[in-house]
Amino acid sequence: MGTVTKASRRDFLKIAGSSVGGLVIGFSWFSCDSPKMEVVSTEEILANAKSFNSFLSISPSGDVVIYSPNPELGQNIKTSFPMVVAEELEADWEKVRVVQANLDVEKFDRQLTGGSGAMPHSWERLRKAGATAKFVLVAAAAKTWNVPAGEITVEKGIISHKSSGKSGHFGEFVTEASTMTAPEEVTLKDKKDFRIIGTPVKNVDAMEMYTGKPLYGLDFYRVGMKHAMVQRAPFGKKIKSVDDAAARAVSGISDVVTFGTSVAVVGESTWPLMKAKKLLKVEYETDGAVESTADHDRIFADLMANGKAEVKREDGDVNQSFKSAAKIVTAEYQCPFLAHSPMEPENFFAHVQADKIELIGPTQTPDRARSAAAEITGIPKENITVEITRLGGGFGRRLRADYVEEAVHISKAINAPVKVSWSREDELTGGAYRPAVRYRFEAALDAGGNMIGYKLRGVGMNTGNTTRENNFPCGAVENALIESINYESTITTNAWRAPITNFLAYAEQSFLDEVALEAGKDPVQLRLELYEKAKSNPIGKTDYNVNRMIAVTKEVAEKSNWGKNPNVKQGLSVYFSHRTYVAQVADIEMDGGTPTLKKITAVTDCGMVVNPIGANHQVRGGIVDGMGHAMYTNLTFENGVPKQKNYDSYRLIRLKEVPEIDTHFLDSGFDPTGLGEPALPPTGGAIANAIFAATGRRLRSQPFIEQKEFSDIKLEIRRA
């Protein structure tokens, strides 16, 4: 392997950028739902590139690099993206690398990451990029050897002409290929011929992560930069006065800066900053509603009963269906606020100068960061650069730019480069949270136990639409009413992994089990009957593919041996979100009189699986995340301040609490769909339904361990 592949990312790019005769092919990245990342000095490459949104380059050494606009925050695109390119290129995987580009609104489109959209949006574009490069390389070899291009084969980066015995690696033809015109259309490989896609490939950053090499925002350091930490006002309050004398007296503190509703201490390192921040004496005054969890309970109850709702969907004659019902099933479900709590707390570097700004750090929305900096300083956006490090988790928290704004404010005030770092306490108390939500479900059943009417009303804080009105069971019920109520809270909220569906799925799937019980039907049977109605006589618009819903439901029933062991109590949950279908079954066994969660079986249809290792990790991680937050985690407020300030009180799932997880994937023949979020929503419902099957206790609020229905259940979690 050449020295380029052994060099650092930054060094590699410098080499690639200065290589004579390097091949650069531009390809369109329209509607790519993610941002690019850290790229360095590639002016020579970019200057010669076509005006598209992302680029594939091949150096004379034969090394292949893809410049990606999507950030890596654990969803494994830094591995899966180059796998797709390498597949169509017929490259040697060992010589393929990906580099994440800096913010460039001229060359990249929709540079943000969210909604599990990176692979669905980029799949075809990545394939075309690889196929186009292969086409011109083959053409260059054909010209060089004076043979027909149709007689040339490519495998693992080697171009060969069998009858003449000639062969050579990619790099030998890049100079000639760079003079050729790329075709507008190329032929893509048949999926049955894939050699790389669908095979297990380990994370390309694994060694750097294992050995602690700098990758993340917290790793970033520049000689001469200052450090800063920030004290933020409680929600609903503003600063009245600041006494910073004691903080300034701490050794290593160089300045104290007040801006907006925040006070920042500035110094040479974070340890004195943490001490100084505790010595700040800040007096606050009310600036809006100062809310507590008790207020939220009262507000939700009032809005659910009396609030004016926005009708999101209305099918048939709902009132008549309930008037004629033989039985009506009603239930309410409620979830709390949650913090995102990524492993790496918020941090960002900013250097504000007279006419330009440099921004470096972990963000899911680099253009939002740039826009915020421009608004604060008045410096034109074109004079602001954004370099993005690998993110140590995001879950939606880094869609916001509040922590970037802090760095910009402070750098501007002290006229020096500064890096803002949040502590874990900052992360939990100064965050933007998953909103608290309450749902009320009603189902009308006829004498045969068939659902003839369905109502859902959601009340949420700062959520906009609390529902997914085109998801199941809508489309399968003749008469349906979906309503949403939004309450504007002073507590900042934000998209949290699998927004809305992270709780809605649990509530819907638990309620469907309540309906199945009242209808005298098996939970699998009830769902399959509803699917068949949606298939044979669909009502209104739906976003889900009913055949794929049927397939994952039947498959998870088979893989989990549904209903076949009387000693195993099972709970089912099936959900569609982010273009992907996930069915889960939780198994509970009685162990010496104690219900024990032994296993969760998951079947996922995310279309074609690009990397089985990454896909397996995503599903397992989503299940652990969904289980942990459903069972254990709660964030409550008192006078505008979270009561849980660190992991001693903000309860996360522990390793010993993870049961056996059995994952399966269905290849439905579709292109890859989202996978970073869809496995989380069904988990809470599967576990809650299994707990009911084992104990007769229905859990309608999260976290489960804080519900009175759960108080005397000694549930254990045990791995096989």
Side-chain angles (χ1 to χ4, degrees), residues 142-205:
K143 181 179 179 182
T144 301
W145 296 334
N146 194 25
V147 300
E151 296 178 3
I152 290 178
T153 60
V154 184
E155 184 175 357
K156 286 193 173 183
I158 301 299
I159 303 173
S160 304
H161 184 247
K162 185 176 181 180
S163 61
S164 67
K166 295 179 179 179
S167 67
H169 65 71
F170 284 165
E172 296 176 40
F173 304 98
V174 293
T175 301
E176 182 64 44
S178 65
T179 66
M180 296 185 167
T181 301
E184 292 186 7
E185 296 293 332
V186 290
T187 301
L188 302 179
K189 292 176 67 173
D190 192 306
K191 294 179 182 179
K192 66 179 178 59
D193 297 324
F194 285 169
R195 300 178 182 179
I196 297 175
I197 292 173
T199 64
V201 176
K202 64 184 179 181
N203 191 310
V204 296
D205 278 341

Side-chain angles (χ1 to χ4, degrees), residues 505-661:
Y506 149 73
E508 286 181 348
Q509 292 297 303
S510 294
F511 180 68
L512 282 177
D513 264 38
E514 296 199 50
V515 173
L517 180 67
E518 294 297 328
K521 297 180 179 180
D522 175 84
V524 172
Q525 175 195 358
L526 174 79
R527 287 167 175 80
L528 290 176
E529 287 179 359
L530 289 170
Y531 296 152
E532 288 299 333
K533 289 177 67 175
K535 182 176 180 180
S536 61
N537 185 29
I539 308 299
K541 180 181 185 299
T542 58
D543 291 337
Y544 59 91
N545 181 313
V546 69
N547 288 325
R548 298 174 77 178
M549 293 282 278
I550 292 171
V552 294
T553 302
K554 288 183 175 180
E555 185 75 4
V556 82
E558 179 183 336
K559 295 297 184 184
S560 66
N561 294 314
W562 177 265
K564 294 181 179 179
N565 187 343
N567 297 319
V568 178
K569 305 303 180 182
Q570 296 179 301
L572 171 69
S573 182
V574 187
Y575 212 71
F576 160 77
S577 65
H578 305 284
R579 313 171 185 86
T580 290
Y581 303 77
V582 183
Q584 296 178 16
V585 169
D587 289 356
I588 288 181
E589 299 179 28
M590 300 305 292
D591 189 350
T594 300
T596 303
L597 178 61
K598 290 287 188 73
K599 183 179 181 180
I600 295 176
T601 303
V603 172
T604 301
D605 176 2
C606 58
M608 173 165 282
V609 173
V610 175
N611 184 356
I613 291 178
N616 186 44
H617 289 170
Q618 288 300 308
V619 171
R620 289 175 180 272
I623 289 173
V624 172
D625 202 6
M627 174 183 172
H629 286 94
M631 290 197 64
Y632 306 115
T633 314
N634 193 5
L635 189 73
T636 59
F637 288 82
E638 188 170 342
N639 296 322
V641 178
K643 295 173 68 175
Q644 296 77 18
K645 296 179 171 58
N646 211 318
Y647 289 150
D648 58 339
S649 54
Y650 189 72
R651 173 78 156 85
L652 296 179
I653 192 170
R654 295 158 187 164
L655 183 61
K656 67 180 181 180
E657 294 166 339
V658 179
E660 177 187 354
I661 298 174

Side-chain angles (χ1 to χ4, degrees), residues 37 122 125 134 492:
M37 248 165 103
S122 304
R125 297 162 183 83
K134 175 186 171 184
T492 55

Side-chain angles (χ1 to χ4, degrees), residues 383-405:
N383 293 345
I384 302 173
T385 61
V386 184
E387 179 179 335
I388 297 143
T389 61
R390 185 182 175 106
L391 286 68
F395 312 113
R397 178 60 182 88
R398 289 184 167 109
L399 292 169
R400 294 175 64 88
D402 51 333
Y403 56 102
V404 182
E405 294 170 9

Side-chain angles (χ1 to χ4, degrees), residues 136-451:
V136 294
L137 286 166
V138 167
K143 181 179 179 182
T144 301
W145 296 334
N146 194 25
V147 300
E151 296 178 3
I152 290 178
T153 60
V154 184
E155 184 175 357
K156 286 193 173 183
I158 301 299
I159 303 173
S160 304
H161 184 247
K162 185 176 181 180
S163 61
S164 67
K166 295 179 179 179
S167 67
H169 65 71
F170 284 165
E172 296 176 40
F173 304 98
V174 293
T175 301
E176 182 64 44
S178 65
T179 66
M180 296 185 167
T181 301
E184 292 186 7
E185 296 293 332
V186 290
T187 301
L188 302 179
K189 292 176 67 173
D190 192 306
K191 294 179 182 179
K192 66 179 178 59
D193 297 324
F194 285 169
R195 300 178 182 179
I196 297 175
I197 292 173
T199 64
V201 176
K202 64 184 179 181
N203 191 310
V204 296
D205 278 341
M207 184 57 67
E208 284 75 10
M209 290 188 283
Y210 295 157
T211 57
K213 292 183 179 179
L215 285 171
Y216 302 95
L218 283 177
D219 295 326
F220 178 79
Y221 174 76
R222 178 172 293 172
V223 175
M225 75 178 187
K226 298 289 186 180
H227 292 267
M229 300 190 82
V230 179
Q231 174 67 51
R232 300 163 192 88
F235 297 105
K237 294 188 177 183
K238 63 181 179 180
I239 294 173
K240 183 177 180 180
S241 65
V242 178
D243 180 354
D244 60 13
R248 288 182 180 272
V250 174
S251 177
I253 299 301
S254 59
D255 210 339
V256 177
V257 177
T258 299
F259 57 96
T261 58
S262 301
V263 182
V265 287
V266 183
E268 302 304 318
S269 63
T270 55
W271 178 239
L273 296 178
M274 296 176 76
K275 293 192 291 184
K277 196 172 80 160
K278 293 179 180 178
L279 296 174
L280 288 170
K281 297 177 181 179
V282 185
E283 185 179 358
Y284 298 102
E285 58 186 353
T286 300
D287 185 33
V290 182
E291 300 172 16
S292 298
T293 296
D295 301 323
H296 302 154
D297 293 339
R298 173 183 52 78
I299 290 167
F300 275 10
D302 181 63
L303 289 174
M304 187 63 74
N306 307 306
K308 181 175 175 54
E310 178 184 0
V311 175
K312 307 303 295 186
R313 181 182 184 124
E314 188 168 11
D315 297 330
D317 190 337
V318 178
N319 290 335
Q320 181 58 38
S321 70
F322 276 80
K323 286 180 181 179
S324 64
K327 185 179 291 187
I328 294 175
V329 187
T330 302
E332 289 194 10
Y333 287 78
Q334 183 165 326
C335 73
F337 286 97
L338 291 178
H340 296 76
S341 195
M343 184 63 70
E344 176 194 29
E346 265 53 78
N347 64 90
F348 225 81
F349 169 88
H351 188 188
V352 178
Q353 301 176 64
D355 58 353
K356 63 181 180 179
I357 303 175
E358 183 183 13
L359 301 174
I360 302 173
T363 175
Q364 294 177 241
T365 52
D367 197 33
R368 176 177 289 182
R370 186 179 75 148
S371 296
E375 184 174 348
I376 291 168
T377 63
I379 293 175
K381 289 197 292 186
E382 56 267 26
N383 293 345
I384 302 173
T385 61
V386 184
E387 179 179 335
I388 297 143
T389 61
R390 185 182 175 106
L391 286 68
F395 312 113
R397 178 60 182 88
R398 289 184 167 109
L399 292 169
R400 294 175 64 88
D402 51 333
Y403 56 102
V404 182
E405 294 170 9
E406 290 176 347
V408 172
H409 276 295
I410 298 166
S411 178
K412 179 184 176 184
I414 67 174
N415 194 29
V418 67
K419 180 179 178 181
V420 168
S421 298
W422 290 36
S423 66
R424 181 59 61 191
E425 288 81 1
D426 293 330
E427 181 71 46
L428 289 176
T429 61
Y433 310 101
R434 182 190 79 170
V437 180
R438 178 180 287 182
Y439 293 107
R440 184 174 69 208
F441 296 87
E442 299 176 70
L445 306 181
D446 65 15
N450 302 301
M451 196 191 306

